[in-house]
Amino acid sequence: MRGGISDEEKKDRARAARERLRRGDHGRRVRSEERGSVSAARGAAASDGRSASPGEASAPPEERTHLLDRLQPDEERDLPPVVCDAESAPEGPPWHYDLSDEERAAREEKRETRQEKRDRLKQKALDKTPDKLRNPSDLQVRFRTGVIYTAATVICVLAGNIPMVLMLMVVAGICAGEFFYMLRSDAKLPNEMLGIIAAVLYPLSVYIAGLVGAMLVSLALLLALLVWYVFWLRARIPDVGVSFFGAAYTGLLLCGLVIIRVSLPAPWGGVCVLLLFLSVWANDAFAYLVGSKIGRHKLAPRTSPKKSWEGFIAGLVGSVIFWCLMTLVPGITMAIPQSIVFGIISGCMGVLGDLAESRIKRNSGFKDSGTIMPGHGGLLDRSDSLFLTSITAAILLIAGGCIPYALF
């Protein structure tokens, strides 16, 4: 801030304004009576052919002076003294205004030292980088990030139940953090701590106790949010709803992958989950490749202008291909016609999840949910299709009798 008042002083002024609103009509009636008294005194003086002054009115001088002070606008009385005007204001926030020349020089020198250290580290890393990898294009950055993300996912899924559950817990926590960060820009005040903790615990609870574990986490989250709502007066009902929805959206929906994994013996549970991942990636890749080439009819122009019906159909084809491959996995009882239907439903739910996340970003004014994946944005941008696809796939496989799983 250059000149003017500080944020703390703004809060004090807002607090005073709220207090005036609480006084309501009583305060306005008192001020109106005071104005009437002073006006009467001025009118009496004016009838004598002279201007009224505080010393010449009928009321005692002390009372008249008090009334005139009360008549001043409240905003003017509450204004703090100006620290400095806009032209003479120094650089930096107000708490830096009283720095001496020596302190300012030391601060500037420290800043330059840190910047030089960063530049040396960047140059050292650049010197070790091969020439062909320097100054990569956006496509190269996206490809390298995608390779790392895909490799980490494949390794964790095939390594065993515990590595996959840990991976899902990390994904749920990061995605929940990105979700709540965007919602804060949309005038919401979610409880990020409770939401992220619940999102992380959902996959672990389902792995340990099945659906009962998910119900216990949901109940504990709801009770914690109610206590928070009761004792933190700034919280509103929409904030409670957003906190619960964020945890369920990023954590509970991923539990479908855990259910599928534990329903089949090793290593076929991991293979089935990997094929489900591949169906989601094929849906996105086919839709992008076909839609960017021949896409003409917009699917949802106001929510995601780049999606087309041509790309949507191509994405469903990619999803169906890998669902048909699931029929070859031992332990899965599913015919080809059934896999085609399940692949279409799963592909549609993946597109719906993508559009839902696009709508959230558009309402919050974000292009990407984060920066953790260079070239792709946030982890929520890469996992939006997976949320609804995973829970839908688990429901379809259990309801269709394709995998053995006891709900309770």
Side-chain angles (χ1 to χ4, degrees):
M1 182 189 72
R2 296 173 61 91
I5 62 177
S6 65
D7 293 338
E8 190 65 31
E9 292 164 341
K10 289 181 180 178
K11 293 179 182 178
D12 294 338
R13 188 187 305 176
R15 197 176 297 113
R18 286 195 296 269
E19 185 63 29
R20 291 196 298 273
L21 289 176
R22 292 193 189 98
R23 290 200 299 267
D25 295 337
H26 175 71
R28 287 194 294 270
R29 186 163 54 251
V30 171
R31 287 194 293 272
S32 177
E33 293 173 357
E34 292 169 351
R35 292 190 184 97
S37 301
V38 176
S39 299
R42 290 175 177 171
S47 63
D48 296 337
R50 53 192 176 84
S51 60
S53 63
E56 294 172 340
S58 58
E62 295 80 2
E63 182 179 352
R64 287 197 301 273
T65 303
H66 175 67
L67 293 176
L68 290 175
D69 290 340
R70 292 288 301 275
L71 287 177
Q72 293 179 2
D74 293 335
E75 290 78 3
E76 293 183 6
R77 292 202 314 274
D78 292 338
L79 281 175
V82 178
V83 178
C84 51
D85 56 26
E87 296 181 355
S88 62
E91 295 291 341
W95 52 86
H96 289 172
Y97 287 0
D98 56 348
L99 291 178
S100 62
D101 294 339
E102 293 79 7
E103 292 174 335
R104 191 173 291 106
R107 187 183 295 272
E108 186 65 25
E109 183 179 358
K110 198 174 186 180
R111 187 182 297 111
E112 292 177 356
T113 303
R114 288 198 301 265
Q115 186 61 39
E116 290 177 358
K117 187 176 180 179
R118 294 193 196 100
D119 294 340
R120 286 197 303 269
L121 291 175
K122 290 181 181 178
Q123 187 62 38
K124 187 180 295 186
L126 186 62
D127 293 339
K128 295 180 180 180
T129 304
D131 294 338
K132 62 181 180 180
L133 297 180
R134 296 184 184 183
N135 301 320
S137 63
D138 292 340
L139 182 60
Q140 290 174 329
V141 173
R142 287 177 60 88
F143 176 76
R144 295 170 192 171
T145 306
V147 168
I148 296 174
Y149 170 71
T150 304
T153 302
V154 172
I155 292 173
C156 292
V157 168
L158 297 180
N161 292 344
I162 299 299
M164 194 192 79
V165 171
L166 293 177
M167 179 198 72
L168 294 179
M169 293 172 65
V170 172
V171 171
I174 295 176
C175 291
E178 294 177 350
F179 175 83
F180 292 133
Y181 177 75
M182 290 192 298
L183 265 293
R184 280 191 172 274
S185 299
D186 194 26
K188 303 295 188 300
L189 294 174
N191 192 316
E192 298 180 7
M193 182 184 68
L194 293 178
I196 293 175
I197 291 175
V200 171
L201 290 179
Y202 269 122
L204 181 62
S205 65
V206 171
Y207 176 70
I208 295 175
L211 296 183
V212 175
M215 294 173 60
L216 292 176
V217 172
S218 300
L219 180 60
L221 174 62
L222 183 58
L223 292 176
L225 288 175
L226 287 177
V227 172
W228 169 67
Y229 173 69
V230 169
F231 291 99
W232 197 60
L233 299 182
R234 292 181 59 190
R236 303 162 297 174
I237 287 295
D239 302 328
V240 177
V242 165
S243 303
F244 191 89
F245 174 76
Y249 174 60
T250 59
L252 181 60
L253 296 183
L254 286 178
C255 295
L257 299 175
V258 180
I259 293 174
I260 296 173
R261 177 61 189 258
V262 300
S263 300
L264 298 173
W268 304 116
V271 172
C272 183
V273 172
L274 181 59
L275 288 174
L276 187 60
F277 270 99
L278 292 174
S279 71
V280 175
W281 298 337
N283 192 349
D284 293 339
F286 280 42
Y288 173 76
L289 293 175
V290 175
S292 61
K293 296 295 182 182
I294 62 173
R296 295 294 181 270
H297 303 85
K298 300 299 182 183
L299 177 63
R302 294 188 177 182
T303 302
S304 184
K306 294 183 179 180
K307 284 183 169 48
S308 64
W309 282 102
E310 293 83 357
F312 170 71
I313 296 174
L316 295 183
V317 172
S319 177
V320 167
I321 291 174
F322 286 97
W323 270 87
C324 290
L325 292 178
M326 289 184 192
T327 59
L328 304 177
V329 177
I332 295 182
T333 306
M334 182 169 55
I336 293 295
Q338 192 177 17
S339 66
I340 293 175
V341 175
F342 288 176
I344 292 175
I345 297 175
S346 176
C348 291
M349 297 305 291
V351 174
L352 178 62
D354 194 353
L355 292 176
E357 201 256 347
S358 298
R359 178 70 185 274
I360 293 172
K361 291 192 297 184
R362 187 169 295 274
N363 288 345
S364 304
F366 281 80
K367 182 179 182 296
D368 297 317
S369 63
T371 58
I372 195 172
M373 298 181 67
H376 294 266
L379 189 58
L380 185 59
D381 295 324
R382 294 300 91 201
S383 305
D384 50 7
S385 301
L386 182 64
F387 294 138
L388 286 179
T389 301
S390 63
I391 196 66
T392 302
I395 294 173
L396 292 175
L397 292 174
I398 294 174
C402 301
I403 58 176
Y405 185 79
L407 294 179
F408 295 100

